[in-house]
Amino acid sequence: MKAWVLGGPHEMKLVEKKVPEPGQSEVLVKVGAIAVCHTDIEVLHHGHPAMIEGKIPFNKDFTMGHEYMGTVVKTGENVDEWQPGDRIAVEVHAGCGRCAKCREGMYTSCHNYSYRSKGHRANGFTTDGGFAEYAINNINTLVAVPDHLSDEVATLTVTAGTAMYGLDVLGGLVAGQSIAVAGGGPIGLMFIALAKALGAAPVIISEPRPDRREMAKHLGADFLIDPLAEDPVEKVRDLTKGKGVDFSVEASGVPIVVNQILHMTNRGGKVCLAAFANGLTPTDLAYVVSNNIYMFGIRGEGNSAVRRAASLLEQKRFDPSPLHTHTFPLEEADKAVSYAENQTDGAIKVVIKMN
Amino acid sequence: MKAWVLGGPHEMKLVEKKVPEPGQSEVLVKVGAIAVCHTDIEVLHHGHPAMIEGKIPFNKDFTMGHEYMGTVVKTGENVDEWQPGDRIAVEVHAGCGRCAKCREGMYTSCHNYSYRSKGHRANGFTTDGGFAEYAINNINTLVAVPDHLSDEVATLTVTAGTAMYGLDVLGGLVAGQSIAVAGGGPIGLMFIALAKALGAAPVIISEPRPDRREMAKHLGADFLIDPLAEDPVEKVRDLTKGKGVDFSVEASGVPIVVNQILHMTNRGGKVCLAAFANGLTPTDLAYVVSNNIYMFGIRGEGNSAVRRAASLLEQKRFDPSPLHTHTFPLEEADKAVSYAENQTDGAIKVVIKMN
Amino acid sequence: MKAWVLGGPHEMKLVEKKVPEPGQSEVLVKVGAIAVCHTDIEVLHHGHPAMIEGKIPFNKDFTMGHEYMGTVVKTGENVDEWQPGDRIAVEVHAGCGRCAKCREGMYTSCHNYSYRSKGHRANGFTTDGGFAEYAINNINTLVAVPDHLSDEVATLTVTAGTAMYGLDVLGGLVAGQSIAVAGGGPIGLMFIALAKALGAAPVIISEPRPDRREMAKHLGADFLIDPLAEDPVEKVRDLTKGKGVDFSVEASGVPIVVNQILHMTNRGGKVCLAAFANGLTPTDLAYVVSNNIYMFGIRGEGNSAVRRAASLLEQKRFDPSPLHTHTFPLEEADKAVSYAENQTDGAIKVVIKMN
Amino acid sequence: MKAWVLGGPHEMKLVEKKVPEPGQSEVLVKVGAIAVCHTDIEVLHHGHPAMIEGKIPFNKDFTMGHEYMGTVVKTGENVDEWQPGDRIAVEVHAGCGRCAKCREGMYTSCHNYSYRSKGHRANGFTTDGGFAEYAINNINTLVAVPDHLSDEVATLTVTAGTAMYGLDVLGGLVAGQSIAVAGGGPIGLMFIALAKALGAAPVIISEPRPDRREMAKHLGADFLIDPLAEDPVEKVRDLTKGKGVDFSVEASGVPIVVNQILHMTNRGGKVCLAAFANGLTPTDLAYVVSNNIYMFGIRGEGNSAVRRAASLLEQKRFDPSPLHTHTFPLEEADKAVSYAENQTDGAIKVVIKMN
């Protein structure tokens, strides 16, 4: 089969690989489409942090990509949960199931992260991913895709699940509560879409790019803030009778935005950190303590939130299709990655569609 | 009655005031003893932030002090919850009971903080406190003091309650889980004592002063780290099979310690921020996000945790008496504050004992 | 003013009363409309349990009714949260704010239930209610009513809030999860409407009356079960791959239905008990234990859930107007109660509309 | 090796079996001692419910017993978490790790309960247990045993873990809160011991047998109630200022006791159902609803609570040794079961000790 693998740093190349065989608790997926995620670009340039921890050599024939969908074509031994022909999208993480974290349900924090022999998989991070014609998936990582979703849009299921997970860790009771999101990339926009779908009000976005603010409006934002044109903290306080929002989400990865997000947040409010910059971020922890604020870092898409996000997609509670802006064939995956990296032509989600 | 009030900045003076009358839901307390808290020193020099927000002039005859105990001597209208003669210690905060935060039980984040007319009290912060012969308290803020506790030690009840509140917001299930505390001041030491009493293991302290490390050992710490002599992060990881602790507490208020605390914490672990430095703290939020870490700022002593801490004191589950190092009469309150501020003669908790 | 008060058992009578004055934390409401609740009928025939506990005589000029809306016409001292002219609906319970339960936010379980002098109000239960031209309300019990809701429909806000509270205690994360409701009365139907609005799937109702099943369908039920025509447990298991639903709600008050609800529920599932029959109910607790099931009794409308339900109404996320079936003027309140009691002419929600 | 297996109903027989081989994620344990549990007696007479569901024939050479301890003697492939020589006690349940329940950490409610081929184990229930010289265990089910615990007492670790799990599902914050336990069997007594160790106050037991009440006192009960001599509900209310306890535990399995436990419980209180009678139990659900009571059924020992209970044992926070009353050699396992079943000679925990 064809697969795009890591070469050296900054290099990805198209090679021929053998179609893998599904083992215990696994299925073989014929990939239908795969989206480029910001993390893919990180992996391309720096390797995945967990790969390096786990001593996986940088360029060892590793297939990239984790936001894909496709069709089950073969099942491993004792697998009756899925059947050949099932149309599915995927989560990234299958925990080892044997460490303390997995046993408490926190599988994206698995203590055996990257230890394939103990059962852990993180496709596209530490195990082969989906920039290929076929991929192996643990049955835990599959969710059904409804007929009415195109292959391209279905790749966004895992992105929606990540935002759903973020709302879960915030306690989930966003209905009738206020929420602000900073950053209108795919994750931030999904937070907007899901918060709106779940009844949050008002839903506020702070994002400097006008096209992304418009996208946020389309997905459900009630108020749009351009943080370069007005003070986003003051604006949020104006919109919330001076109190700040009940929930907030940092999805920009821009250090200066962290304190904006904190200062937008009401006493006793909750903050989800869904993005980050490398290095240390100057943070107003005095404000956090004085105001009983709780901050929740989230890694990936835990708590089976992808399944619930997929249910909302099936129910047509929100429409992520505008996030999908560009399509390329598998042969042009490198070009797809370049578009995503450089936001060429306003690219948000660039998808590779198999033939 | 005699009372120490704020003068101008850095000035406290002993004056005569009228004994106040308890209103609806209130009692009059004859103060027996009061401890000096770090926050008192802040109030003395800068005023309480909430005082300033609420436009209370800095030096308007305001009685300082919030960590006191005493005896109920008079009850307000319709008060049958307490009787004259009851020996009590106090919490700081009585919420307004009418804002959204109070209604959800988060009374230390009351939206009417400092609005006395709407029912809020924070004695020693925004309403008259306990550096005086008498003080008014909302009935919500009283807890019974058992006979076996001396007046001096009973003043520490609210400090214990603050640590209990911190463990509450961490989820409370510390039994059989590991915990690390940075900072061996009164709050940090109380976290040590309570975590031990509740079955945490191991209990680890990181504190540069040897006398405070010894105090931590006395109160239940299993391992003592001198962060100036060894790398506290490495040491904690050694003690936890490389994983880091399940729970951690920042009680030092030293900016550089924040990242130590974060890096000591296991994936999916929880961090309580119980102290802070003014200004921005360079914080490794990348670590927080990558490791599913949750950070909980706590203000004061919510969730009626003081009541539960008082119960543990009554049960003699821990002995905070070593924290009490010095005693002065009411007339020398200024000297007491000076001792506490300068940690004169190894002072930890300096207590004013009434005659 | 005119007011309907309790006479002896089974007797309600229209009298002239003095318009009351709002006190501290209170407002005077000019009632616009009020719905008849099943509990009103209980109060009429048996007195409210809390009235009797609190030694309030059965027939002492007590104004009935708690599901009302209206307009603020006067505010008490220090009240700036609401202004004359505000259009509002009401919650039933204002806790005392001084007991342990209120302090933890559980105000519908106030330990001073029925002690008016300590600040508790439960309008229509222990304090004068809304079958009258005017009523006093604690500011905590008011929620804004949007323009697009008619007076009649706005009375249903508290009913919606009760269902929202039930979903809250179930953990709230119903999006993408299955739910079954037994009983298509106003509360059960509101559970259907809110579960659907919050993304639950599938949403299932079991109700013997065809008109109420149709109402449930209109409000969002995906599957309708007639428990007299088919086995509701078997049917729910068919709809959930044999597993049972994640969440279930007993809203019928029929003893035999309790075990149906339990047996419909998945291992580790959660059950809300929102109705009950008097006396002892034969309950399959062996099933509860063997299957890690949690059962949550709910009293009234806690957790400020009415506010969040009101937000969903404002957002038009669900339309409760079909529940409103009949309207009478204040002078015919006895007839309204009779219609509600006997479900005359298919009555679900019977509303009294002021002139 | 020697092993006691099920014959027909009511029959257990000693046979020779082959020593099994540990597979992936498994170890071989040389059994040191095993206690007789009430469930073993159920299995002997009726088969385990899950066995029957899973179509495991009643008498197919099945080794009974699940409360054991021993020594790891061999590890399966890729197992480095444990080493030969490790002294361990065991939990019963290893979930499949691939169903929705396991993925959320609720492994005792595994949807693949009894499907060995999908990875589920419940030793002594659906897979071979510990009335034998050797047993296979999933690594997830092992906890370390400290040197100071005898083999006999170490078998009680899983019992302690079950009580710890019960306190977990009640929210865990029992410190300084009141708790009542009905039933002084091993589970009920462990609830007493753990609640006391975790700071609950007061700790109350209701139990008709005087020897078991004394045992409860020894383990930490503050108040002993003989429900045949006084009204346990009235007594508990006397002890709690009329309010009832914050937490309660039904550990008797006697139907009439369920309502006693409910009526002992405060408004907004929480009830753990840790035992049950077969058939329907007349239950005062009206009380549950009117008082915002939550009831939590618990199956087995989830949430890795056994590990935390083992930590408390290691810390010597409670001493379960009085529960161990009788010892027999493996050859007399049938006699041991008979003693346990008939409570011969005051038997509480009857232990089989290997040579």
Side-chain angles (χ1 to χ4, degrees):
Chain A
M1 70 177 187
K2 291 179 192 159
W4 283 89
V5 298
L6 280 178
H10 319 306
E11 181 194 5
M12 56 188 286
K13 54 185 179 180
L14 186 60
V15 301
E16 285 287 323
K17 291 177 85 165
K18 209 180 141 193
V19 175
E21 279 294 313
Q24 180 85 10
S25 303
E26 294 178 340
V27 301
L28 180 68
V29 172
K30 184 172 193 315
V31 178
I34 177 166
V36 181
C37 172
H38 182 72
T39 309
D40 295 321
I41 296 162
E42 286 290 305
V43 169
L44 177 61
H45 294 311
H46 309 295
H48 188 272
M51 293 169 63
I52 293 164
E53 277 176 39
K55 313 300 177 218
I56 300 174
F58 191 92
N59 56 2
K60 200 193 158 199
D61 199 33
F62 174 74
T63 307
M64 301 168 60
H66 58 280
E67 296 188 348
Y68 55 95
M69 59 74 59
T71 308
V72 173
V73 289
K74 193 170 180 182
T75 57
E77 195 184 355
N78 288 317
V79 171
D80 57 9
E81 290 90 346
W82 300 93
Q83 307 301 332
D86 287 345
R87 191 165 175 245
I88 53 84
V90 301
E91 290 189 56
V92 178
H93 292 92
C96 72
R98 64 199 266 180
C99 74
K101 286 296 150 194
C102 282
R103 213 185 191 209
E104 66 182 63
M106 215 163 184
Y107 52 84
T108 64
S109 284
C110 176
H111 276 137
N112 288 316
Y113 208 107
S114 86
Y115 285 82
R116 178 70 197 94
S117 62
K118 289 196 178 178
H120 184 269
R121 294 193 79 95
N123 280 5
F125 292 177
T126 65
T127 43
D128 281 338
F131 284 149
E133 289 179 284
Y134 294 92
I136 295 293
N137 269 79
N138 186 294
I139 57 168
N140 265 349
T141 62
L142 305 186
V143 296
V145 171
D147 290 344
H148 64 73
L149 277 191
S150 72
D151 284 5
E152 291 88 336
V153 174
T155 64
L156 300 174
T157 306
V158 66
T159 315
T162 301
M164 183 68 114
Y165 178 50
L167 296 178
D168 282 3
V169 301
L170 291 176
L173 297 179
V174 299
Q177 303 280 70
S178 51
I179 189 165
V181 177
I187 296 282
L189 291 170
M190 283 295 190
F191 268 100
I192 293 289
L194 279 159
K196 187 69 174 187
L198 296 174
V203 174
I204 305 167
I205 185 137
S206 177
E207 160 62 45
R209 284 180 47 175
D211 56 332
R212 296 198 165 196
R213 286 200 302 276
E214 277 312 300
M215 187 82 73
K217 185 175 178 183
H218 182 88
L219 287 165
D222 298 305
F223 298 101
L224 314 179
I225 300 173
D226 175 357
L228 304 182
E230 58 188 333
D231 179 340
V233 173
E234 202 174 300
K235 181 67 180 176
V236 165
R237 293 197 169 268
D238 283 353
L239 293 170
T240 54
K241 300 185 182 173
K243 293 194 171 60
V245 287
D246 301 302
F247 300 100
S248 61
V249 179
E250 205 311 88
S252 77
V254 178
I256 202 176
V257 173
V258 167
N259 292 325
Q260 290 175 0
I261 274 292
L262 291 175
H263 297 158
M264 282 174 193
T265 306
N266 193 2
R267 292 176 186 179
K270 294 178 183 171
V271 179
C272 179
L273 302 176
F276 59 88
N278 291 315
L280 302 182
T281 301
T283 308
D284 190 356
L285 297 181
Y287 187 87
V288 170
V289 175
S290 302
N291 288 284
N292 271 319
I293 286 175
Y294 304 160
M295 301 167 75
F296 300 85
I298 58 162
R299 175 179 197 140
E301 72 303 320
N303 203 22
S304 295
V306 176
R307 296 182 190 182
R308 301 205 323 287
S311 172
L312 292 182
L313 280 169
E314 189 188 357
Q315 297 173 54
K316 301 186 185 179
R317 294 303 179 99
F318 66 104
D319 175 15
S321 59
L323 288 175
H324 165 231
T325 53
H326 294 75
T327 308
F328 292 92
L330 179 59
E331 290 72 19
E332 297 181 27
D334 49 353
K335 191 171 169 189
V337 169
S338 164
Y339 263 62
E341 182 167 10
N342 301 305
Q343 302 183 0
T344 308
D345 190 22
I348 296 182
K349 270 294 176 190
V350 181
V351 174
I352 293 156
K353 177 80 171 72
M354 307 300 157
N355 303 318
Chain B
M1 68 176 189
K2 290 179 192 157
W4 283 89
V5 300
L6 280 177
H10 320 304
E11 182 194 4
M12 55 187 288
K13 53 186 182 180
L14 186 61
V15 301
E16 284 288 324
K17 292 176 84 165
K18 210 180 141 193
V19 175
E21 280 294 313
Q24 179 86 10
S25 305
E26 293 179 341
V27 301
L28 180 68
V29 172
K30 184 173 193 315
V31 178
I34 176 166
V36 181
C37 174
H38 182 73
T39 310
D40 294 323
I41 297 163
E42 286 288 306
V43 169
L44 177 60
H45 295 311
H46 309 296
H48 189 271
M51 295 168 63
I52 294 164
E53 275 175 39
K55 313 299 176 217
I56 299 174
F58 191 91
N59 55 2
K60 200 194 160 198
D61 199 32
F62 173 74
T63 307
M64 299 167 62
H66 58 280
E67 296 189 349
Y68 56 93
M69 58 74 59
T71 308
V72 173
V73 290
K74 192 172 182 181
T75 56
E77 193 183 357
N78 288 318
V79 171
D80 57 9
E81 290 89 346
W82 299 94
Q83 307 300 332
D86 287 343
R87 190 165 176 247
I88 53 85
V90 303
E91 290 189 57
V92 179
H93 292 92
C96 71
R98 64 200 264 181
C99 74
K101 286 295 149 195
C102 284
R103 212 183 194 212
E104 66 182 65
M106 214 165 186
Y107 51 85
T108 64
S109 286
C110 176
H111 275 138
N112 289 316
Y113 208 107
S114 86
Y115 286 83
R116 178 72 197 94
S117 61
K118 289 196 178 178
H120 185 268
R121 295 193 78 96
N123 279 6
F125 291 176
T126 64
T127 45
D128 281 338
F131 284 149
E133 289 179 286
Y134 294 92
I136 295 293
N137 269 80
N138 186 294
I139 57 167
N140 266 348
T141 62
L142 305 185
V143 297
V145 171
D147 290 345
H148 65 74
L149 276 191
S150 72
D151 284 6
E152 291 87 336
V153 174
T155 63
L156 300 174
T157 306
V158 65
T159 316
T162 302
M164 183 69 113
Y165 178 51
L167 295 179
D168 281 4
V169 301
L170 292 178
L173 298 179
V174 299
Q177 303 279 70
S178 51
I179 188 165
V181 177
I187 296 282
L189 290 170
M190 283 296 191
F191 268 100
I192 293 289
L194 279 159
K196 187 69 173 185
L198 296 175
V203 175
I204 305 168
I205 184 130
S206 176
E207 160 62 46
R209 286 181 45 175
D211 57 332
R212 298 200 163 195
R213 285 199 303 274
E214 277 312 300
M215 187 82 75
K217 186 177 179 181
H218 182 89
L219 287 165
D222 299 303
F223 297 101
L224 314 178
I225 300 173
D226 176 357
L228 304 181
E230 59 189 333
D231 179 340
V233 173
E234 204 175 300
K235 181 67 179 172
V236 166
R237 291 197 170 268
D238 283 352
L239 293 169
T240 53
K241 301 187 183 171
K243 293 194 170 60
V245 288
D246 300 305
F247 299 101
S248 61
V249 179
E250 205 312 86
S252 75
V254 179
I256 202 177
V257 174
V258 168
N259 292 326
Q260 290 174 2
I261 274 292
L262 292 175
H263 296 157
M264 282 174 193
T265 306
N266 192 1
R267 292 176 187 180
K270 294 177 182 172
V271 180
C272 179
L273 301 175
F276 59 88
N278 291 316
L280 301 184
T281 301
T283 308
D284 190 356
L285 297 182
Y287 188 86
V288 170
V289 175
S290 302
N291 288 284
N292 271 318
I293 286 176
Y294 304 161
M295 301 169 74
F296 300 85
I298 59 162
R299 175 178 197 140
E301 70 307 319
N303 204 22
S304 294
V306 176
R307 297 181 189 182
R308 300 204 325 285
S311 172
L312 292 182
L313 280 168
E314 189 188 358
Q315 298 174 53
K316 301 186 184 177
R317 296 303 179 97
F318 66 103
D319 175 14
S321 60
L323 287 176
H324 166 231
T325 52
H326 294 75
T327 308
F328 293 93
L330 180 59
E331 290 71 19
E332 297 181 27
D334 50 353
K335 192 171 167 189
V337 169
S338 166
Y339 263 61
E341 182 167 9
N342 301 305
Q343 302 183 2
T344 309
D345 190 23
I348 295 184
K349 269 295 175 190
V350 182
V351 173
I352 295 156
K353 176 81 171 72
M354 309 299 159
N355 304 317
Chain C
M1 67 176 190
K2 291 179 189 156
W4 284 89
V5 299
L6 280 177
H10 320 304
E11 181 194 6
M12 55 188 287
K13 54 185 179 179
L14 187 60
V15 301
E16 284 288 323
K17 291 177 84 164
K18 210 180 141 192
V19 176
E21 280 294 313
Q24 182 84 9
S25 305
E26 294 179 342
V27 301
L28 180 67
V29 172
K30 183 173 195 313
V31 178
I34 177 167
V36 181
C37 174
H38 182 73
T39 309
D40 295 322
I41 297 162
E42 286 289 305
V43 169
L44 177 62
H45 294 310
H46 309 295
H48 188 271
M51 294 169 62
I52 294 164
E53 277 175 40
K55 314 299 178 215
I56 299 173
F58 191 92
N59 56 1
K60 198 193 161 201
D61 200 33
F62 174 76
T63 308
M64 300 168 62
H66 59 279
E67 296 189 350
Y68 56 94
M69 58 73 61
T71 308
V72 173
V73 290
K74 194 173 181 180
T75 57
E77 195 184 355
N78 288 317
V79 171
D80 57 8
E81 289 90 344
W82 299 94
Q83 307 301 332
D86 287 342
R87 189 164 176 246
I88 52 84
V90 301
E91 290 189 56
V92 179
H93 292 92
C96 72
R98 63 199 267 180
C99 73
K101 287 295 150 196
C102 283
R103 213 183 192 211
E104 65 182 63
M106 214 163 184
Y107 51 84
T108 63
S109 285
C110 176
H111 275 138
N112 289 315
Y113 208 107
S114 85
Y115 285 84
R116 177 72 198 94
S117 62
K118 289 196 177 179
H120 185 267
R121 294 193 78 96
N123 280 6
F125 292 176
T126 65
T127 44
D128 280 339
F131 283 148
E133 289 179 286
Y134 293 92
I136 295 293
N137 271 79
N138 186 293
I139 57 167
N140 265 349
T141 61
L142 305 185
V143 296
V145 171
D147 290 344
H148 64 74
L149 276 191
S150 72
D151 284 6
E152 290 87 335
V153 174
T155 64
L156 301 174
T157 306
V158 66
T159 315
T162 301
M164 183 69 113
Y165 179 49
L167 296 178
D168 282 3
V169 301
L170 292 178
L173 297 179
V174 299
Q177 303 280 71
S178 51
I179 189 166
V181 177
I187 296 282
L189 290 170
M190 282 296 190
F191 268 99
I192 293 288
L194 278 158
K196 186 70 173 185
L198 296 174
V203 175
I204 305 168
I205 185 134
S206 176
E207 160 61 46
R209 282 180 47 176
D211 57 331
R212 297 199 164 196
R213 286 199 303 275
E214 277 311 302
M215 188 82 73
K217 185 175 179 183
H218 181 89
L219 287 165
D222 299 304
F223 297 101
L224 314 178
I225 300 173
D226 176 356
L228 304 181
E230 58 188 333
D231 179 340
V233 174
E234 201 175 302
K235 181 67 179 173
V236 166
R237 293 199 168 267
D238 283 352
L239 293 170
T240 54
K241 299 184 183 173
K243 294 195 168 61
V245 288
D246 300 303
F247 299 101
S248 61
V249 179
E250 205 311 87
S252 76
V254 178
I256 202 177
V257 173
V258 168
N259 292 326
Q260 289 174 0
I261 274 291
L262 291 176
H263 296 158
M264 282 174 193
T265 306
N266 192 1
R267 293 176 186 180
K270 294 177 180 171
V271 179
C272 179
L273 301 175
F276 58 88
N278 291 315
L280 301 184
T281 302
T283 308
D284 190 355
L285 298 181
Y287 188 86
V288 170
V289 175
S290 302
N291 288 284
N292 271 318
I293 286 175
Y294 304 162
M295 301 168 75
F296 300 85
I298 59 162
R299 176 179 196 140
E301 70 306 317
N303 203 22
S304 295
V306 177
R307 296 181 191 182
R308 300 204 325 286
S311 172
L312 292 182
L313 280 168
E314 190 188 356
Q315 297 173 55
K316 302 185 184 176
R317 295 303 179 98
F318 66 103
D319 175 15
S321 60
L323 288 176
H324 165 230
T325 52
H326 295 76
T327 307
F328 293 92
L330 181 59
E331 291 71 20
E332 298 181 26
D334 48 354
K335 190 169 169 192
V337 169
S338 164
Y339 263 62
E341 183 167 7
N342 301 305
Q343 302 182 1
T344 309
D345 189 23
I348 297 183
K349 270 295 174 189
V350 182
V351 174
I352 294 155
K353 178 79 171 69
M354 308 299 158
N355 306 317
Chain D
M1 69 176 189
K2 291 178 190 158
W4 284 89
V5 298
L6 280 177
H10 320 305
E11 180 193 5
M12 56 188 285
K13 53 185 180 181
L14 186 60
V15 300
E16 284 289 324
K17 292 176 86 165
K18 209 179 142 193
V19 176
E21 280 294 312
Q24 180 84 10
S25 304
E26 295 179 339
V27 301
L28 180 68
V29 173
K30 183 172 193 316
V31 178
I34 177 166
V36 181
C37 173
H38 182 72
T39 311
D40 294 322
I41 296 161
E42 285 289 306
V43 169
L44 177 61
H45 294 310
H46 308 296
H48 189 271
M51 293 167 64
I52 293 162
E53 276 175 39
K55 312 300 176 218
I56 299 174
F58 191 92
N59 56 0
K60 199 194 161 198
D61 198 33
F62 174 73
T63 307
M64 299 168 62
H66 58 280
E67 296 190 349
Y68 57 93
M69 58 76 58
T71 309
V72 173
V73 289
K74 193 172 181 182
T75 56
E77 194 183 357
N78 288 318
V79 171
D80 57 9
E81 290 89 347
W82 299 93
Q83 306 300 333
D86 287 344
R87 190 165 175 247
I88 53 86
V90 302
E91 291 189 55
V92 178
H93 293 91
C96 72
R98 64 198 266 181
C99 74
K101 286 296 150 195
C102 283
R103 213 184 191 209
E104 66 182 63
M106 213 161 187
Y107 52 85
T108 64
S109 285
C110 175
H111 276 138
N112 290 315
Y113 208 106
S114 86
Y115 286 83
R116 177 72 197 95
S117 61
K118 288 195 179 180
H120 185 269
R121 295 193 77 97
N123 280 4
F125 291 177
T126 64
T127 44
D128 281 337
F131 283 149
E133 288 179 285
Y134 294 92
I136 294 293
N137 270 80
N138 186 295
I139 58 168
N140 265 350
T141 62
L142 305 185
V143 296
V145 171
D147 289 344
H148 65 73
L149 277 191
S150 72
D151 284 5
E152 289 87 336
V153 174
T155 64
L156 300 174
T157 307
V158 65
T159 315
T162 301
M164 183 68 112
Y165 178 51
L167 295 178
D168 282 3
V169 301
L170 291 177
L173 297 179
V174 298
Q177 303 280 70
S178 51
I179 189 165
V181 177
I187 296 282
L189 290 170
M190 283 295 190
F191 268 101
I192 293 288
L194 279 160
K196 187 69 172 186
L198 296 175
V203 175
I204 305 167
I205 185 134
S206 177
E207 160 61 46
R209 285 181 46 176
D211 57 332
R212 297 199 164 197
R213 285 200 302 275
E214 277 312 300
M215 187 81 75
K217 186 177 180 183
H218 182 89
L219 287 165
D222 299 303
F223 298 102
L224 314 178
I225 300 174
D226 175 357
L228 304 182
E230 59 189 333
D231 178 340
V233 173
E234 204 174 299
K235 181 67 180 174
V236 166
R237 292 197 168 269
D238 283 352
L239 293 170
T240 53
K241 299 185 183 174
K243 293 194 170 61
V245 288
D246 301 303
F247 299 101
S248 61
V249 179
E250 205 310 87
S252 76
V254 178
I256 202 175
V257 174
V258 167
N259 292 326
Q260 290 175 0
I261 273 291
L262 291 176
H263 297 157
M264 284 175 190
T265 306
N266 193 2
R267 292 176 186 179
K270 294 177 183 173
V271 180
C272 179
L273 301 175
F276 59 87
N278 290 316
L280 301 184
T281 301
T283 308
D284 190 356
L285 297 181
Y287 188 86
V288 170
V289 175
S290 301
N291 288 285
N292 271 318
I293 286 176
Y294 304 160
M295 302 168 75
F296 299 86
I298 59 160
R299 176 180 195 138
E301 71 307 316
N303 204 22
S304 294
V306 176
R307 297 181 189 183
R308 299 204 326 286
S311 173
L312 292 181
L313 280 169
E314 189 188 357
Q315 298 173 55
K316 301 186 184 177
R317 296 303 179 98
F318 66 103
D319 175 14
S321 60
L323 287 176
H324 166 230
T325 52
H326 294 75
T327 308
F328 293 93
L330 180 60
E331 290 72 20
E332 297 181 26
D334 49 354
K335 190 169 169 191
V337 169
S338 165
Y339 263 62
E341 181 166 8
N342 301 307
Q343 302 183 1
T344 308
D345 189 23
I348 296 184
K349 268 293 174 190
V350 182
V351 174
I352 294 156
K353 177 81 170 72
M354 308 299 158
N355 305 319

